[in-house]
Amino acid sequence: QVQLVESGGGLAQPGGSLRLSCAASGFTFSTYAMSWARQAPGKGLEWVSGIYSDSSDTYYVDSVKGRFTISRDNAKNTLYLTINNVKPEDTALYYCAKHVSWTPNYGLDYWGKGALVTVSS
């Protein structure tokens, strides 16, 4: 069955960097687009970034452009999210999700359980 397992969360200081990983299994990772979404404490779910199956293009929500980088290694079945210059407002549970197609323009059908990122000095 499809499994998405996030890792790399934890406590980060403002201005620092961290990288989240998502290990995928149970499907042909290289043929599906992937995304990251997050849920801050007391707030709703927010889509953050998406990437095509072949990494040909990426998308970001405006609030993270220039600080977040989504990438993938299809040989390792792994999705990444690098966050630079972390801010307290980046504190959230970060989810990895699989799209139903090679493009992020279509819906999501599987989600991981999330990785918690806490930004505090």
Side-chain angles (χ1 to χ4, degrees):
Q1 71 276 23
V2 173
Q3 285 194 318
L4 300 170
V5 181
E6 300 92 341
S7 61
L11 180 64
Q13 291 193 337
S17 298
L18 57 84
R19 187 176 79 164
L20 302 178
S21 300
C22 172
S25 62
F27 65 103
T28 307
F29 180 73
S30 61
T31 63
Y32 290 94
M34 300 292 294
S35 275
W36 288 96
R38 66 184 179 182
Q39 186 167 24
K43 296 189 177 180
L45 190 65
E46 175 187 42
W47 174 85
V48 171
S49 181
I51 185 169
Y52 276 73
S53 60
D54 62 356
S55 301
S56 57
D57 207 353
T58 57
Y59 299 100
Y60 300 91
V61 67
D62 286 347
S63 59
V64 307
K65 285 180 180 178
R67 296 194 300 117
F68 285 30
T69 302
I70 189 172
S71 60
R72 62 192 296 162
D73 185 336
N74 285 346
K76 295 182 178 180
N77 291 346
T78 303
L79 178 72
Y80 302 101
L81 184 69
T82 301
I83 306 175
N84 294 316
N85 188 23
V86 293
K87 300 179 179 181
E89 53 263 41
D90 294 326
T91 295
L93 190 60
Y94 284 76
Y95 296 95
C96 161
K98 170 188 168 293
H99 286 270
V100 300
S101 174
W102 58 274
T103 166
N105 293 323
Y106 294 93
L108 297 158
D109 57 356
Y110 288 95
W111 296 75
K113 293 183 178 181
L116 182 63
V117 172
T118 303
V119 182
S120 175
S121 56

